[in-house]
Amino acid sequence: MEGECRAPQARSSGLPAGGGGGESPGGDAPLPGSSGSSALLQAEVLDLDEDEDDLEVFSKDASLMDMNSFSPVMPTSPLSMINQVKFEDEPDLKDLFITVDEPESHVTTIETFITYRIITKVRAHYLSYFCIWLGIQTSRGEFDSSEFEVRRRYQDFLWLKERLEEAHPTLIIPPLPEKFIVKGMVERFNDDFIETRRKALHKFLNRIADHPTLTFNEDFKVFLTAQAWELSSHKKQGPGLLSRMGQTVRAVALSMRGVKSRPEEFMEMNNFIEIFSQKINLIDKISQRIYKEEREYFDEMKEYGPIHILWSASEEDLADTLKGVASCIDRCCKATEKRMSGLSEALLPVVHEYVLYSEMLMGVMKRRDQIQAELDSKVEALTSKKADTDLLTEEIGKLEDKVECANNALKADWERWKQNMQNDIKSAFTDMAEENIHSYEQCLATWESFLTSQTDLHLEEASEDKS
């Protein structure tokens, strides 16, 4: 029925800390206030143990789908419709397992680029007679095999992100790592940079796979399963250049026009995003600075061990003591290196991912406002009777449905994202704190053991001198 929102496929809608599976929080939880104070962010961002109810993301009826509407792709085939049914005796399990690995460099006469291998495994499950009759071999009927292997470059990931944003303008799409290298960081195609990007791309795809709506997107399926020539052909099926330019011009015009009256809940949401963006960017800068200082401390400490070994060669009476000091320094270096590894692999990527998320959220709010601005412009035209009133009335009815579904999708995804963000940041900082405590305890135990042995040695020597 036109204008009717309906719930999408039943499945787990949450991500765990770091991007696995979990539960989706409630869609009716209060949003942060609009006071703009730091206390607001602390209450909302740092309240990490608040329980919230499950929710459903509502999607638009297929009859209202177009390139600028909220139009998640709903399954229509019998195979895909199986995914909408959640049997009571079936556990709530992850059904797509995606791995991004084996980066490979390609050099052509025009450019040099990196491709990544993507392996997708679809979970098999207990098959009912109906599933067997339909020939379904996995828990996701739209996949005709249980395993796929393709290679993709960064531009392919960028294409997928853009298509997801077009199909689901008010859902929070996971961010991609930056395309360009920040000056002074690392060189392009540096091994460390490639590995960092690989991990970010791996998380990007798994975030989508675990999303209750995005995981069923047709472009996502094509991205995971199509060979290179098939993907290239599929890309050409999208809107042409002139169509995209027209959409861009209209979006800019609506953005400049602005929204006359944004609902209060979205005003509060926008205030939260602005404060969150400021805070997470500050945390990112501080974390990067801490890592840099740790690196400088580690590089300096590494030089002390060899110095004490050389010193022991010229001090016969102190040789054992100096060698003991060198051994302690070496152990502390190893503990510091492990702590730095935890900081660079566990904390920094999580914080930076949410810096990128803050930018994505601003884009989502902008697209929501564009949809509402389009409705406002039609209502204004109807009021002034500048066009055919019957046609405008029909368009306004469709736009009202479109705005309602877009708002429902954003509110539901917002609560889900916020819960995931709280879990991720809590886990990252907790793990870092535990790693720091463990590292310091190791260093303390090393030096205490050395000092105890030296004290015992001096006491023994003093006892021998007395005797």
Side-chain angles (χ1 to χ4, degrees):
M1 183 174 182
E2 186 172 0
E4 181 177 318
C5 298
R6 64 175 183 263
Q9 298 84 348
R11 62 164 286 161
S12 174
S13 60
L15 296 172
E23 293 183 359
S24 173
D28 297 323
L31 294 170
S34 57
S35 63
S37 66
S38 60
L40 176 147
L41 184 64
Q42 293 173 356
E44 291 296 324
V45 177
L46 302 181
D47 186 12
L48 303 172
D49 295 321
E50 181 181 6
D51 293 331
E52 302 179 50
D53 299 329
D54 288 342
L55 54 85
E56 291 181 327
V57 180
F58 292 94
S59 61
K60 185 62 178 171
D61 185 86
S63 62
L64 298 178
M65 294 179 187
D66 58 54
M67 294 307 297
N68 293 316
S69 67
F70 172 74
S71 54
V73 178
M74 299 296 294
T76 55
S77 67
L79 297 183
S80 297
M81 290 175 66
I82 296 299
N83 298 318
Q84 293 181 298
V85 181
K86 183 173 179 61
F87 299 100
E88 294 182 358
D89 58 345
E90 182 178 354
D92 198 8
L93 299 176
K94 181 182 176 75
D95 50 20
L96 284 184
F97 301 86
I98 304 174
T99 304
V100 179
D101 60 11
E102 293 190 8
E104 184 178 293
S105 178
H106 299 263
V107 181
T108 68
T109 55
I110 301 176
E111 61 180 341
T112 300
F113 58 92
I114 304 294
T115 63
Y116 301 85
R117 184 179 70 165
I118 301 173
I119 297 178
T120 303
K121 296 183 179 180
V122 188
R123 177 174 63 90
H125 68 161
Y126 175 78
L127 302 178
S128 67
Y129 289 111
F130 182 53
C131 294
I132 295 175
W133 178 68
L134 288 174
I136 301 173
Q137 301 299 317
T138 66
S139 59
R140 294 285 293 273
E142 70 269 33
F143 290 92
D144 57 9
S145 179
S146 60
E147 185 169 342
F148 301 88
E149 179 177 328
V150 296
R151 296 200 72 87
R152 297 286 184 258
R153 57 184 297 185
Y154 181 84
Q155 289 182 358
D156 298 325
F157 287 87
L158 189 60
W159 167 84
L160 173 62
K161 173 177 168 291
E162 291 173 351
R163 292 303 295 266
L164 291 175
E165 289 176 347
E166 290 174 2
H168 313 278
T170 57
L171 290 184
I172 302 172
I173 312 298
L176 276 174
E178 297 93 337
K179 181 176 182 178
F180 299 104
I181 312 302
V182 179
K183 185 177 180 181
M185 295 291 289
V186 293
E187 296 181 0
R188 192 181 182 191
F189 303 137
N190 174 282
D191 290 342
D192 292 338
F193 168 76
I194 292 175
E195 177 61 16
T196 300
R197 171 169 281 187
R198 182 199 67 77
K199 292 178 179 178
L201 296 176
H202 174 89
K203 178 171 284 189
F204 169 74
L205 292 182
N206 279 278
R207 292 252 193 222
I208 296 173
D210 291 331
H211 194 282
T213 301
L214 299 179
T215 186
F216 296 104
N217 181 274
E218 179 65 19
D219 291 313
F220 181 50
K221 175 200 167 188
V222 171
F223 178 89
L224 295 177
T225 62
Q227 294 305 310
W229 67 270
E230 294 175 314
L231 179 63
S232 178
S233 177
H234 183 76
K235 288 181 179 180
K236 296 177 182 178
Q237 297 175 8
L241 177 60
L242 293 179
S243 176
R244 292 198 302 270
M245 289 179 62
Q247 294 169 13
T248 302
V249 170
R250 190 170 80 170
V252 171
L254 291 173
S255 298
M256 294 180 64
R257 184 180 187 278
V259 178
K260 291 185 177 180
S261 58
R262 179 189 288 165
E264 180 65 24
E265 56 190 329
F266 294 110
M267 289 291 294
E268 294 174 351
M269 193 180 296
N270 191 68
N271 291 336
F272 179 95
I273 293 171
E274 290 178 355
I275 297 174
F276 175 78
S277 179
Q278 295 173 4
K279 298 294 184 180
I280 199 67
N281 274 278
L282 180 60
I283 292 174
D284 185 49
K285 291 179 181 179
I286 293 174
S287 301
Q288 295 287 350
R289 186 173 65 194
I290 290 175
Y291 180 76
K292 180 181 178 182
E293 292 175 353
E294 286 275 2
R295 170 61 64 181
E296 293 172 351
Y297 168 72
F298 172 72
D299 292 339
E300 183 177 354
M301 185 165 56
K302 283 195 304 183
E303 300 177 359
Y304 291 145
I307 289 175
H308 281 78
I309 293 295
L310 292 175
W311 188 5
S312 66
S314 60
E315 296 286 349
E316 185 176 346
D317 294 339
L318 298 175
D320 291 341
T321 300
L322 293 173
K323 289 179 180 179
V325 171
S327 177
C328 289
I329 293 174
D330 182 61
R331 292 179 184 178
C332 289
C333 279
K334 292 179 179 177
T336 301
E337 187 174 24
K338 185 178 179 182
R339 186 174 75 247
M340 289 171 52
S341 177
L343 181 63
S344 65
E345 295 180 5
L347 179 65
L348 296 183
V350 172
V351 172
H352 192 66
E353 181 188 21
Y354 280 98
V355 169
L356 300 178
Y357 256 126
S358 67
E359 298 171 1
M360 293 292 296
L361 289 169
M362 293 178 184
V364 170
M365 290 298 297
K366 183 178 180 181
R367 291 192 292 272
R368 193 218 72 85
D369 288 348
Q370 289 172 356
I371 297 173
Q372 184 178 338
E374 185 177 5
L375 172 62
D376 293 343
S377 66
K378 298 294 183 182
V379 172
E380 183 178 327
L382 179 62
T383 303
S384 59
K385 297 182 180 179
K386 294 181 179 179
D388 183 3
T389 56
D390 293 337
L391 179 61
L392 279 176
T393 302
E394 182 180 353
E395 291 180 353
I396 288 173
K398 291 182 178 180
L399 283 172
E400 286 175 344
D401 292 336
K402 182 177 174 182
V403 169
E404 181 181 0
C405 286
N407 289 344
N408 287 339
L410 177 54
K411 287 187 288 186
D413 218 26
W414 168 257
E415 294 301 329
R416 176 184 175 278
W417 172 85
K418 194 164 62 171
Q419 184 64 52
N420 292 334
M421 175 270 295
Q422 293 169 350
N423 292 338
D424 287 347
I425 292 180
K426 175 182 178 180
S427 177
F429 277 96
T430 300
D431 291 345
M432 185 192 71
E434 291 176 350
E435 183 61 38
N436 285 344
I437 292 172
H438 181 65
S439 175
Y440 293 139
E441 287 177 344
Q442 277 187 313
C443 292
L444 180 61
T446 297
W447 286 107
E448 285 181 343
S449 176
F450 171 71
L451 292 175
T452 299
S453 64
Q454 289 297 306
T455 301
D456 293 341
L457 180 61
H458 289 315
L459 290 175
E460 183 179 345
E461 290 176 351
S463 176
E464 290 177 356
D465 292 340
K466 288 182 180 180
S467 61

